[in-house]
Amino acid sequence: MNSFSKTTERAVESLQRGATIGIIGGGQLGQMMALSARYMGFHTLVLDPTEGCPAAGACDDQIVAAYDDVEAIRQIAQRSDVLTYEFENVDADALDAVSALVRIPQGTDLLRVTQNRIAEKTFINSHGGHTARWAAVRSLSELDGAVEEIGLPAVLKTAEGGYDGHGQRVLRTADDVNAVKNEWGSDFPVCVLEEMIDFAYEASILISGNGSEYVTFPLVKNVHVHNILHTTVAPAFGEHPSESELATVAQAEKMARELAAGFSLAGTLAIELFVLRDGTVLVNELAPRPHNSGHYTIEACAYDQFDAHIRGIAGWTLEKTQLLSPAVMVNVLGQHLDAVMAAAVDHPQWHVHDYGKAVAKTDRKMGHVTVLGTDTAAILADFEKTGIWE
């Protein structure tokens, strides 16, 4: 077994009121982590290169520095009792270097697995999780062999650094394969080639842990537009799921628990899924943190994904999740922001979250809106009627 899959079996040491949680990354996820931590009596400190980042207003202090600034990482470690991170592109070696100074309950194994698609798929498959068929492509010379093994159409993804569709190419024909060869040439990065899946829908499930016990949030359905999450519907199957739908939920929950146990998970892990037409669940990718598709939990659950994350890294006991109401979450991108804020005046049922980012750019996540209600189809239709998300 590779070193990245080895984990400690001990539970996370309990954190006391007044302790400081250091957060690496000051975007909206860091902001919402900090708000949950504050309500639980913790202090927070964020490291982010942008002064006045979204998390800064929710934290006690900010260290303005690049994420790979070794001295800044050491500084936040010295000033914190626990370190966490809001995104996966954190330098795992830099965290290992300060592990003697501060507790890092999530560990760095989780980071290393989720930073590399080859490592990630290997981990998933070795812990009972199913994925699309895939092959590692470590050089341009290996591409033809991988195409022969997996077949076309397929999706070529860089092993590291991709998000929201970046670093991906759909290969449908031999011409597409040749185009990638000509375009990337000698700069061909390490990649994975994945079988293109004819899925029924995309889904995700969140699981949170404190190192020894794990709780899952409801399976939800997701819709992406231009590879960016557009809507999340919770729960995936409404109030009266069929036997086959219950079986799909059970598959997802079992897979989530096996993966969480493999990591001795502390904090929240998001698992993005493809659900096939026969109900089979495949893992698409993992995110070692709270996730965009879990934002509905803020209003719809007894405690949300950020509360669970903080409780987990603090070593506190976790309660079984309660969904208080079905809900729909829709993302607010830069091109939607002004219209959403104007419409919110006359839509009291909208729970609007403005992340406070200084500059609104096209396709940049600026906020989200959640609406509670049992008729999720009607809620989706109401969002469409506004014309904002066309």
Side-chain angles (χ1 to χ4, degrees):
M1 188 175 292
N2 292 319
S3 60
F4 57 69
S5 63
K6 295 178 182 176
T7 52
T8 179
E9 294 182 358
R10 67 176 178 79
V12 175
E13 185 178 344
S14 182
L15 199 62
Q16 302 301 308
R17 178 182 181 273
T20 296
I21 297 175
I23 303 171
I24 300 176
Q28 62 268 22
L29 299 180
Q31 178 190 68
M32 290 182 268
M33 285 180 191
L35 291 171
S36 286
R38 175 166 296 211
Y39 285 131
M40 294 180 202
F42 299 125
H43 298 295
T44 51
L45 171 65
V46 64
L47 185 151
D48 193 277
T50 303
E51 188 171 3
C53 61
C59 289
D60 295 279
D61 199 4
Q62 178 185 0
I63 296 172
V64 181
Y67 299 126
D68 59 356
D69 185 325
V70 175
E71 181 53 40
I73 296 288
R74 177 170 291 276
Q75 183 182 349
I76 194 172
Q78 290 172 330
R79 294 176 59 184
S80 303
D81 297 286
V82 162
L83 276 188
T84 187
Y85 39 81
E86 69 142 17
F87 64 104
E88 46 269 52
N89 294 322
V90 178
D91 188 337
D93 290 338
L95 292 187
D96 281 339
V98 297
S99 60
L101 302 176
V102 64
R103 282 183 272 158
I104 309 173
Q106 292 159 279
T108 53
D109 293 348
L110 179 60
L111 269 181
R112 288 189 168 90
V113 168
T114 54
Q115 285 174 347
N116 184 287
R117 286 190 168 98
I118 296 173
E120 182 177 76
K121 291 179 186 300
T122 300
F123 185 92
I124 292 167
N125 294 155
S126 65
H127 288 79
H130 303 292
T131 61
R133 291 188 307 118
W134 64 278
V137 186
R138 294 182 171 85
S139 66
L140 183 60
S141 62
E142 294 184 2
L143 180 57
D144 287 335
V147 169
E148 184 175 352
E149 177 185 348
I150 301 301
L152 297 177
V155 183
L156 186 67
K157 300 179 179 180
T158 56
E160 297 182 352
Y163 68 96
D164 287 348
H166 296 279
Q168 299 185 19
R169 291 289 291 270
V170 176
L171 306 181
R172 299 184 186 278
T173 67
D175 288 342
D176 293 332
V177 176
N178 289 329
V180 166
K181 290 180 181 179
N182 292 331
E183 182 180 339
W184 292 0
S186 59
D187 294 326
F188 191 88
V190 177
C191 294
V192 295
L193 186 71
E194 294 180 14
E195 172 189 18
M196 183 174 285
I197 298 298
D198 182 23
F199 54 84
Y201 54 87
E202 293 177 275
S204 60
I205 189 167
L206 303 174
I207 186 164
S208 299
N210 62 9
S212 60
E213 61 180 3
Y214 312 103
V215 295
T216 57
F217 287 85
L219 181 72
V220 299
K221 282 187 179 178
N222 299 321
V223 172
H224 289 78
V225 175
H226 304 308
N227 294 305
I228 301 172
L229 182 66
H230 175 47
T231 58
T232 293
V233 174
F237 303 120
E239 295 183 290
H240 304 290
S242 66
E243 286 188 18
S244 62
E245 290 170 339
L246 288 172
T248 296
V249 172
Q251 276 188 69
E253 290 181 346
K254 181 175 183 292
M255 198 178 300
R257 290 183 181 279
E258 289 174 347
L259 293 173
F263 288 119
S264 293
L265 178 69
T268 294
L269 172 72
I271 306 171
E272 296 185 63
L273 306 166
F274 295 131
V275 180
L276 307 186
R277 301 185 192 286
D278 65 359
T280 300
V281 177
L282 302 180
V283 178
N284 179 27
E285 61 184 23
L286 308 176
R289 50 170 172 77
H291 192 258
N292 197 173
S293 67
H295 289 341
Y296 75 93
T297 62
I298 297 171
E299 284 81 26
C301 292
Y303 67 90
D304 65 47
Q305 63 169 340
F306 301 99
D307 297 333
H309 181 78
I310 297 300
R311 290 188 70 92
I313 64 171
W316 291 12
T317 299
L318 298 171
E319 182 185 15
K320 183 178 178 180
T321 306
Q322 294 181 59
L323 181 68
L324 304 178
S325 170
V328 175
M329 187 283 301
V330 60
N331 259 333
V332 177
L333 305 181
Q335 62 266 35
H336 308 139
L337 183 61
D338 289 344
V340 165
M341 298 311 296
V345 175
D346 297 315
H347 288 80
Q349 74 277 26
W350 286 10
H351 295 271
V352 179
H353 295 254
D354 182 341
Y355 301 151
K357 295 180 180 179
V359 179
K361 299 178 181 179
T362 297
D363 289 343
R364 187 185 192 193
K365 293 170 186 171
M366 300 300 295
H368 70 269
V369 178
T370 300
V371 175
L372 306 181
T374 56
D375 192 344
T376 55
I379 295 171
L380 287 167
D382 287 342
F383 279 133
E384 188 174 347
K385 286 176 186 175
T386 66
I388 294 172
W389 287 273
E390 291 180 350

